[in-house]
Each structure stands twice: as C-alpha cells, then as structure tokens.
Amino acid sequence: LMACSKMLVLSGPSYATRLWCAWELFVLLAFAPEDAARRTLRITLRSDHDTLQRLEGFDARKAHCYDPNEQARLQGVIRAFGLDEFNRRVRMWAAKITANMAFEACGF
C-alpha cells in the first residue's frame, strides 16, 4: 500500500464488514501523513448504501475474511495493536473522510 500513488475503494454494502478492507484503510491512514493520504485515497460509493456510516460504527470483532485462517492471523495482529484502538481509528478516519467528502461536495 505504501508504494501506491493511489488507493481506489470501490465500496459495496459488505465493505464495512470485511476485515481486510478495514485493515487496508487502517494501514494507509496509519502510515501516511493525513494530507498525503487524502491525495492518495479515492472512494467511490454506491448511492444505495452507507459504507462510511457503517465504518463509523466499525467493530473488528464483527468483521470477517473469506478465509478463516487469514481472519485469525489478521485478528491476531489487530489484537497485538489493540482491538479498541484499531476500532477507534477506523471509526475516526471514516468520520474524517465523511466530513472531507461533504466539504468537497460544497465546492471547497
């Protein structure tokens, strides 16, 4: 992720329940300065769902991976970081992204 110049999120209704999706967002936003992350991240939302609102209530305990082995490994890394802190950051960044998108929609 850190070598990428852009990160495109094509989110659907299940985006906020997929652990890998939250992890990729977390990694980008944890290691890039906020202004660089803002330039890198592009989110395309379908109009019929509320991905960012769901991420604002994200809980890694309820998220999953297709492969249970990957899920167990990823949850282990998240627990080592701190599950509550991981959740807090994902929720905080979702709120910031929502606010930034609203700000840009106003033409600023």
Side-chain angles (χ1 to χ4, degrees):
L1 284 175
M2 299 318 300
C4 297
S5 61
K6 297 285 181 208
M7 178 179 170
L8 177 63
V9 173
L10 301 172
S11 63
S14 66
Y15 182 84
T17 64
R18 295 193 315 251
L19 195 55
W20 267 113
C21 294
W23 177 255
E24 289 171 346
L25 187 62
F26 173 83
V27 168
L28 172 69
L29 297 169
F31 295 104
E34 191 170 329
D35 61 328
R38 189 176 292 133
R39 288 189 308 271
T40 302
L41 185 62
R42 294 291 173 253
I43 298 177
T44 300
L45 301 171
R46 287 185 22 196
S47 61
D48 63 339
H49 69 92
D50 53 358
T51 298
L52 290 172
Q53 286 179 331
R54 290 179 189 173
L55 280 173
E56 287 180 39
F58 180 80
D59 186 346
R61 289 174 282 258
K62 296 178 183 175
H64 57 275
C65 297
Y66 177 77
D67 181 340
N69 295 315
E70 285 189 12
Q71 182 172 326
R73 283 191 294 267
L74 197 49
Q75 286 173 335
V77 172
I78 292 168
R79 277 193 304 276
F81 175 77
L83 187 62
D84 291 334
E85 182 63 14
F86 181 82
N87 286 337
R88 186 190 71 75
R89 289 193 188 190
V90 170
R91 292 170 186 163
M92 176 190 68
W93 289 324
K96 284 185 176 186
I97 293 167
T98 300
N100 188 52
M101 291 175 80
F103 186 73
E104 290 175 356
C106 292
F108 296 105

